[in-house]
Amino acid sequence: MLGRIKVDPGVCEGRPTIRGMRITVTFVLKLLGDGYTAEDIVREYPELKKEDVYQAAKYAAWLASETTSAIA
């Protein structure tokens, strides 16, 4: 399901990246948050595919679905 997301301690300090490239999931999510569409992102960063953008969003949704407790 998330085969395009890679975590390698030797790449981007272990942050999740797209296919092991030096493009982080966080960077792609920030672009989406700034209003870029998947098409815009792929046009600006041709090494990416639309599926990469969608998997970054799926990964973020998976992380956000984790149960957390408030620390007071």
Side-chain angles (χ1 to χ4, degrees), residues 3 7 9-11 17-19 21 25 31 38 40 45 54 58 67 69 72:
V7 177
V11 178
T17 62
I18 306 297
R19 293 185 281 128
M21 296 185 289
V25 170
L31 291 173
D40 295 334
Y45 301 92
Y54 298 143
K58 285 179 191 177
T67 303
S69 59

Side-chain angles (χ1 to χ4, degrees), residues 7-48:
V7 177
D8 178 344
V11 178
C12 293
E13 299 178 347
R15 291 183 188 96
T17 62
I18 306 297
R19 293 185 281 128
M21 296 185 289
R22 295 190 179 278
I23 298 177
T24 63
V25 170
T26 301
F27 178 71
V28 173
L29 294 174
K30 286 179 180 179
L31 291 173
L32 288 170
D34 285 342
Y36 285 73
T37 66
E39 291 80 11
D40 295 334
I41 295 169
V42 170
R43 186 173 41 256
E44 293 293 322
Y45 301 92
E47 60 273 32
L48 294 175

Side-chain angles (χ1 to χ4, degrees), residues 45-59:
Y45 301 92
E47 60 273 32
L48 294 175
K49 308 284 184 218
K50 275 202 239 183
E51 185 61 26
D52 296 325
V53 176
Y54 298 143
Q55 279 207 7
K58 285 179 191 177
Y59 182 74

